Amino acid sequence: MRPSSAAKRRAVLAAAEEAFLAAHYESVTMDDLARSSGVSKQTVYAHFGTKEQLFIELVTSMTRLAADDVHQVDALPIESADRIAPVLESILSRQLEAVLQPRMLRLRRLVIGEVPRFPELARAVFEHGPQRAVAVLAQILSDLDARDLLSVPDPTTAATQLNWLVMGAPVNDAMFLGDDAIPSTPAQRDHVRAAVATFLSSARRSAE
Amino acid sequence: MRPSSAAKRRAVLAAAEEAFLAAHYESVTMDDLARSSGVSKQTVYAHFGTKEQLFIELVTSMTRLAADDVHQVDALPIESADRIAPVLESILSRQLEAVLQPRMLRLRRLVIGEVPRFPELARAVFEHGPQRAVAVLAQILSDLDARDLLSVPDPTTAATQLNWLVMGAPVNDAMFLGDDAIPSTPAQRDHVRAAVATFLSSARRSAE
């Protein structure tokens, strides 16, 4: 049986992920991708148009899938003050773990390195990543403020602070130092717990 | 008068800064650099050995100079509790402003994009940048803890949190969104003030 059109498309995207994440945008050719995915060059062009379009499709689909994965779990309703820390820790641990996947770190480096060439692509990654994460947190903090469980007069600023308390050091370390700098899962949990504690200590103090 | 050897060296470094920050590492040639700095190709090789060595020299010197600039101001002694916020704000504003210079942001993107090829270079940038910044803050927080002006049982964790509360959002925004996302100087000051307030609210609460 010959592979279906959808299967060919998936094969090209898989080959493109491997090739782009291992090299520079420039050094990947459509010929390479056709060869490594076992389809004809015409098929690659028929599905994706140009190398630029294929790269954009790959980056946006990887970013969107990772973000959906993080946010798919229904945010648990926070029923009482003692549930605030565990729920925030759970959301932020899931987010940190997703961003620290080696393939997502390579994608981030590649997109940041290509900002001058693909500014719109970097903007799309930003919107699916940090911007969406901050919006989800701001909604939660705004609800907690409305119910007098925390004092969060400016939910977007507070959500941005909470997000970067958690994400800043580990993502930056991994950007510069590579995969060896990715903390273990228990170390990630400890880091998230300490960051949420610092944040809540400030938001609770204001509530008193 | 013919340019001195030191003047030629500076001319090559200036040309290299312009060329590397405008393009990929790969697309810059030693021929281009000789031409744009007005020296012979032999002179470029005599001063810097290889393109790789020239790139490393450029990146480390830009990073070291920027860091020296931030840290050269003697840390003011913090004489009383009401001086804590102003002194921290002043250090962190200087640091944020230095990192958000367009040429330093381009350098950061370039180095992050080249991590797979130049892991040691990225490590050197990390050590001169975030690691040095956190060490300076940790020393200050440790002193404040020893004098019972704040409660900072783990100065390195606290300094890392304070650093990323300030640096996380603006540096990440500028990485992805480009120079248009660099906040104005007053907006940077407001951002630093809010971040320091959140941090101190937590460190003071523990001190009570």
Side-chain angles (χ1 to χ4, degrees):
Chain A
M1 206 175 91
R2 297 173 62 186
S4 69
S5 172
K8 285 182 183 173
R9 185 183 174 83
R10 283 196 302 275
V12 175
L13 274 175
E17 177 177 330
E18 191 171 342
F20 281 120
L21 294 190
H24 286 80
Y25 173 79
E26 280 174 290
S27 52
V28 175
T29 70
M30 294 292 254
D31 272 341
D32 297 337
L33 296 178
R35 206 172 309 117
S36 55
S37 56
V39 305
S40 71
K41 202 171 158 181
Q42 288 86 330
T43 301
V44 177
Y45 281 106
H47 276 286
F48 297 101
T50 63
K51 182 173 102 167
E52 185 174 352
Q53 286 170 321
L54 171 54
F55 182 59
I56 291 172
E57 164 96 20
L58 172 74
V59 173
T60 49
S61 77
M62 282 181 72
T63 310
R64 196 179 307 113
L65 286 173
D68 287 347
D69 225 36
V70 169
H71 299 295
Q72 72 175 342
V73 182
D74 285 338
L76 296 173
I78 297 181
E79 279 148 15
S80 56
D82 63 340
R83 295 293 304 149
I84 298 175
V87 171
L88 292 179
E89 285 168 12
S90 147
I91 294 169
L92 287 158
S93 293
R94 214 159 54 226
Q95 179 182 314
L96 182 61
E97 197 185 358
V99 173
L100 291 181
Q101 296 300 316
R103 60 193 275 278
M104 297 309 292
L105 291 170
R106 277 197 287 278
L107 182 75
R108 196 181 189 93
R109 279 190 210 103
L110 181 64
V111 169
I112 287 175
E114 296 293 344
V115 161
R117 189 199 306 258
F118 291 106
E120 289 312 313
L121 183 61
R123 178 172 292 274
V125 170
F126 177 79
E127 286 166 2
H128 288 295
Q131 196 167 59
R132 182 168 167 187
V134 166
V136 168
L137 290 174
Q139 184 56 55
I140 294 172
L141 296 177
S142 172
D143 288 348
L144 291 169
D145 180 77
R147 294 160 60 207
D148 270 334
L149 290 172
L150 285 184
S151 166
V152 188
D154 179 346
T156 299
T157 296
T160 304
Q161 290 186 343
L162 175 56
N163 183 70
W164 290 106
L165 264 172
V166 171
M167 307 300 285
V171 172
N172 189 72
D173 291 2
M175 277 294 98
F176 282 107
L177 302 179
D179 294 352
D180 291 348
I182 301 172
S184 68
T185 304
Q188 289 184 32
R189 295 289 149 96
D190 289 347
H191 168 76
V192 169
R193 201 172 300 121
V196 169
T198 293
F199 173 78
L200 287 180
S201 154
S202 162
R204 285 202 176 112
R205 185 192 181 84
S206 323
E208 278 159 12
Chain B
M1 208 176 92
R2 298 174 61 188
S4 69
S5 172
K8 286 181 182 174
R9 186 184 174 83
R10 282 196 302 274
V12 176
L13 274 176
E17 176 177 330
E18 190 171 343
F20 282 120
L21 294 191
H24 286 80
Y25 173 79
E26 280 174 290
S27 52
V28 175
T29 70
M30 294 292 253
D31 272 341
D32 296 337
L33 296 178
R35 206 172 310 116
S36 55
S37 56
V39 305
S40 71
K41 201 171 159 180
Q42 288 87 328
T43 302
V44 177
Y45 281 107
H47 276 287
F48 297 101
T50 63
K51 181 172 102 167
E52 185 174 352
Q53 287 170 320
L54 171 55
F55 181 59
I56 291 172
E57 164 96 19
L58 172 74
V59 173
T60 49
S61 77
M62 281 180 71
T63 311
R64 196 180 307 113
L65 285 173
D68 286 348
D69 224 36
V70 170
H71 299 295
Q72 73 175 339
V73 182
D74 286 338
L76 297 174
I78 297 181
E79 279 148 15
S80 56
D82 64 340
R83 294 294 303 149
I84 298 175
V87 171
L88 291 179
E89 285 167 13
S90 147
I91 294 169
L92 286 159
S93 293
R94 214 159 54 226
Q95 180 182 314
L96 183 60
E97 196 185 359
V99 173
L100 291 181
Q101 296 300 316
R103 60 193 274 277
M104 297 309 291
L105 291 170
R106 277 197 288 278
L107 182 76
R108 195 180 189 96
R109 280 191 209 104
L110 180 65
V111 169
I112 286 175
E114 296 292 345
V115 162
R117 189 199 306 256
F118 291 105
E120 289 311 313
L121 183 61
R123 179 173 291 275
V125 170
F126 177 79
E127 286 166 2
H128 287 295
Q131 195 167 61
R132 182 168 167 189
V134 167
V136 168
L137 290 174
Q139 183 56 55
I140 294 171
L141 296 176
S142 171
D143 288 348
L144 291 169
D145 181 77
R147 293 160 59 205
D148 271 335
L149 290 172
L150 285 183
S151 167
V152 188
D154 179 345
T156 299
T157 296
T160 304
Q161 290 186 343
L162 174 57
N163 184 70
W164 291 106
L165 264 172
V166 171
M167 307 300 286
V171 172
N172 189 71
D173 292 2
M175 277 295 99
F176 282 107
L177 303 179
D179 294 352
D180 292 348
I182 302 172
S184 68
T185 304
Q188 289 184 32
R189 294 289 151 94
D190 289 347
H191 168 76
V192 170
R193 201 172 300 122
V196 168
T198 293
F199 173 79
L200 288 181
S201 153
S202 162
R204 285 203 176 110
R205 185 190 180 88
S206 324
E208 279 159 11

